[in-house]
Structures are given as structure tokens and as C-alpha cells.
Amino acid sequence: MSAAGHTLAWRPEITGTHDQTRGGDGMRFLHTADWQLGMTRHFLNDEAQPRYSAARRDVVAAMGPIAKEVGAEFVVVAGDVFEDNHLAPRVISQSLEAMRRIEVPVYLLPGNHDPLDAGSVYTSALFTEERPDNVVVLDRAGVHEVRPGLEIVAAPWRSKAPTTDLVGDVLAGLTDDGVTRIVVGHGGVDVFQADRDKPSFIRLAAVEDALARGAVHYVALGDKHSRTKVGDSGRVWYSGAPEVTNYDHVESDPGHVLVVDVDESDPARRVEVEARRVGTWRFVSLCRTVDTSRDVTDLDLNLDLLTDKDRTVVQVGLNGSLTVTDKAALDACLDKYVRRFAALSLWDSQTDIVVLPADGEFDDLGIGGFAAAAVDELVATAKTDGEESDDARAALALLLRLVDRGAA
């Protein structure tokens, strides 16, 4: 049986080294998902975005050496291969070239970002023309034969709003007939959702029933960008995105590909899953209290200790009360690290800093006359709760920075 209408003309030879790695009766493959090639992040600057896009392609190509090392027969990508169906031609061509470098069959499942609708990237002339021989689109729901005795059961998305449990649909009717089956699906599992009754959610009970009756043996899922085990069987996993896509308070464990072993000599098809880290970027969320100059210094030290700054994105939530002098020092600290990190920004929903001039804070500026009177007026305004207080505090902070530059 052909896979999604394509018959692969070759399979990688299983060498003695591979057999030693996985055992002569074992089958091994890589489970990944949510590549979302072509993704942009609005908080990255013009210089960082191209590097981030390249990293997302590089992590795909990096699966080739892993597949070779562990003796994987193939790779399954459980949905959202592309960010959407409307991509620049360069993105499609470069993505396909990265997949070519994997050198074993790569099975792509259309997901909610790149469904098999009328404008699907998978049916575009460019994709069809440049698709490498090792890349197979799972564009048909149901069973796809990989080789005799081994099948992929695919549940592709055909729209962004399916009205049924696509995985449950393809599981119905499957029986234990001695064939090893790997399910590839995409979407939310009902046990993780507040509204469990949504028709498109994957019903874990149906999945576990198919596993229990021996009709399928591993369920490779995509949609959650953090590596996540589903249920207690050890056979249902979200691989997570291989490269980070959101901050660590949202994605707790991205950056992996799963190496899945299935013991085909065991009637129960014993499964082992190992995570390999492949991601190289980090999106970090920090929350700090800043009430004194020492707190600002500590924040500076904490930011400085973060490694790989050119591949690290930071959002900082800051709370506290600062003098105008300390607020100016905080602004200078943040400005410095904006230049050093791939991106750094304030976490607006977690930031609340009150700035109040301290008594005598502007007494030693060495100015007099009209200028001194203007400063006194700004200080008085800054201590109020009126609409002009923020402008007054900003003006005082700018004054301090200008005085510091003059002294330098």
C-alpha cells in the first residue's frame, strides 16, 4: 500500500551498527511535531528574526544525524509542519531542503496551521515540484503501510475547524491482527481541556481502548509545544516543538525530539521513549522586586549570568517603588541588555513600578536660579497622583542621565 499516494523507492539499509543500537527485533523511529516553519515572532528585532528562522530549519536538519545514530527507520511529524498555508517560496524551498537532509522517510501530517484545504501548501506547485523523495504527506485519513507488518494510522486536518475527533475516527474498526501500528494525530486531548465536550478534542478513552485491545501501539501527537506524556500507558506522547516558540511560563519543556522504540518481537509491542534535546533557543520569563539600588544591581547580575544571549529572549516583570535615580539606573540596565539579548522587553501584565523622588535627591545637581526652581517644580509634580506626574518623573530621570553623561 502506498503512503499518501507516494511509493518510496528505497529504504535505508539497516546496518550492523544500527542493530546493535536497537536490537534485531526492535523498530525505532523519531517522533516530532509543530515545526511551524516560517514562524515569525513579533518581539524579535530585525537582526534576530532571520537567525531564529534559520534555527528552526537547522533543528529539522539536525534530526538526520540523530536518525542515523539511533538507526531510526523513519520520522513522523505530528502536524503543523508549516506556520500556515501561505508562505514565501523561499520558506518552502529551504524547508524542503532541510527535510531532504534527514535522509530517511519523513511523514508529514497536516495540522491546524497547515490543513489540507483548498489552498494547502502541500498541494502547491512549488511543494509538489521540489518535494524530496524521502518526504511523504499523510494526506489520507487511515492506514498507510510503511513496510509489511508496520503501519502508520494518520489523522490529517482538512480544515482549521474539524467537527469530529479525527483520531477517534481513524481508530474505529482497527483490531489486533499482528500488525505494528503507529498513530499520528494532532490537536488537544480532552483530559487537558476545561471544555471537554468540544467535538474536535481527542478522546483519551478511545485512544486507550485501542491501545488496550492491541489495535495500535504508540500514539504520536502534536499541538502542545511542550513535551508531555498523556495518560498512564507510556504510549501516548506530545513530542513538543523541537525549537521553542513561547516563554517558559507557557512552554515548560520544548526543544526535544522523541526516540521511540517498539519491540516487535513482543506480542504486546513493548515501547520505550527517550527525549533528545535539539533546540538551541530560550524564551525566558523573569519576575523581580526592585525597591532599592541593590535590587537593580542584582537584576543586572542575573541578566548577565544568562548564557547564549544571542539566542535568548527575555521578558521581565518588575514590581516595586524606586527613586528617580534608581529608576534611571534600572532603565540604563535594561537598555544595555536590549542590545545584548536576541530580545528583551518588559512583561507588561507583571510590571508595576512606582517612581517617587526621594527627599534631597536633586539637591546636589549644582544648578541654581531658574533651573533650580524648575527642578523643584518637577519634583513637586512627580510626588502627586495627577496626570502630569509621569511626565515629571520622566523629565527628572532624563535630567539625571544627562547630568551623568556630562560628568563622564
Side-chain angles (χ1 to χ4, degrees):
M1 183 180 300
S2 66
H6 303 298
T7 301
L8 292 178
W10 59 276
R11 288 182 56 242
E13 180 181 356
I14 305 302
T15 67
T17 300
H18 292 168
D19 286 343
Q20 292 169 13
T21 302
R22 66 182 186 178
D25 294 319
M27 181 272 292
R28 181 172 290 178
F29 67 95
L30 302 187
H31 167 198
T32 179
D34 300 287
W35 292 354
Q36 291 183 227
L37 297 165
M39 170 184 282
T40 59
R41 300 281 77 174
H42 67 86
F43 41 74
L44 293 176
N45 60 43
D46 291 341
E47 181 273 332
Q49 178 61 58
R51 291 191 293 106
Y52 178 67
S53 297
R56 300 190 70 80
R57 294 191 301 271
D58 290 345
V59 82
V60 170
M63 295 180 194
I66 295 175
K68 184 175 182 179
E69 174 196 343
V70 304
E73 288 193 40
F74 58 90
V75 176
V76 296
V77 190
D80 289 357
V81 179
F82 295 99
E83 174 67 359
D84 55 53
N85 278 331
H86 306 288
L87 300 167
R90 176 180 293 272
V91 171
I92 298 173
S93 295
Q94 291 179 339
S95 298
L96 289 172
E97 189 61 27
M99 296 179 215
R100 185 193 309 275
R101 292 166 60 188
I102 296 177
E103 295 186 348
V104 298
V106 180
Y107 293 92
L108 308 181
L109 184 81
N112 62 293
H113 275 259
D114 52 3
L116 281 168
D117 58 19
S120 175
V121 62
Y122 300 109
T123 57
S124 68
L126 179 58
F127 184 95
T128 302
E129 178 182 350
E130 298 190 5
R131 178 185 62 82
D133 289 341
N134 67 314
V135 172
V136 180
V137 181
L138 298 169
D139 58 3
R140 173 174 46 79
V143 172
H144 301 251
E145 185 178 70
V146 177
R147 57 167 165 78
L150 175 61
E151 296 174 347
I152 287 174
V153 183
W157 285 50
R158 297 193 173 278
S159 74
K160 288 183 174 290
T163 58
T164 65
D165 171 4
L166 300 177
V167 171
D169 292 346
V170 298
L171 293 177
L174 294 179
T175 61
D176 179 4
D177 54 8
V179 175
T180 301
R181 293 195 181 97
I182 310 303
V183 179
V184 186
H186 189 85
V189 176
D190 58 352
V191 296
F192 295 137
Q193 312 299 328
D195 177 16
R196 295 191 180 188
D197 295 329
K198 188 175 179 180
S200 62
F201 286 152
I202 299 167
R203 268 55 184 177
L204 181 58
V207 171
E208 291 183 332
D209 178 68
L211 289 167
R213 67 177 185 264
V216 300
H217 305 96
Y218 181 83
V219 182
L221 295 179
D223 189 52
K224 288 179 69 69
H225 289 191
S226 292
R227 178 181 53 144
T228 306
K229 184 174 74 169
V230 183
D232 298 322
S233 69
R235 296 173 181 267
V236 187
W237 284 84
Y238 286 102
S239 64
E243 190 58 89
V244 63
T245 63
N246 211 331
Y247 290 104
D248 52 11
H249 73 283
V250 177
E251 291 179 15
S252 60
D253 195 22
H256 301 91
V257 60
L258 300 184
V259 181
V260 183
D261 280 289
V262 181
D263 186 351
E264 293 184 292
S265 68
D266 179 1
R269 305 297 196 279
R270 182 175 58 88
V271 168
E272 294 183 0
V273 179
E274 174 195 356
R276 293 287 190 97
R277 174 162 286 282
V278 291
T280 61
W281 280 61
R282 293 181 298 170
F283 290 179
V284 179
S285 298
L286 298 176
C287 286
R288 294 290 185 271
T289 298
V290 284
D291 285 319
T292 66
S293 60
R294 179 55 187 264
D295 294 334
V296 175
T297 300
D298 287 345
L299 174 64
D300 191 332
L301 290 173
N302 289 334
L303 291 173
D304 190 53
L305 288 172
L306 290 174
T307 58
D308 301 319
K309 291 180 177 60
D310 62 332
R311 290 179 278 117
T312 300
V313 176
V314 183
Q315 65 172 358
V316 186
L318 300 173
N319 285 271
S321 298
L322 293 172
T323 66
V324 175
T325 301
D326 291 341
K327 178 59 165 58
L330 173 63
D331 290 343
C333 170
L334 295 178
D335 286 347
K336 175 174 65 176
Y337 288 107
V338 163
R339 299 190 298 272
R340 296 185 181 182
F341 285 100
L344 182 143
S345 61
L346 283 179
W347 189 356
D348 290 338
S349 66
Q350 301 295 320
T351 295
D352 184 14
I353 298 177
V354 176
V355 181
L356 292 174
D359 292 338
E361 188 173 3
F362 295 89
D363 291 348
D364 58 353
L365 294 181
I367 58 176
F370 175 78
V375 169
D376 290 341
E377 183 177 348
L378 284 172
V379 169
T381 303
K383 291 182 176 181
T384 68
D385 294 327
E387 294 181 359
E388 298 178 347
S389 60
D390 288 341
D391 292 338
R393 292 164 191 159
L396 290 170
L398 176 60
L399 175 62
L400 287 175
R401 297 181 73 169
L402 292 174
V403 169
D404 286 343
R405 289 174 185 170

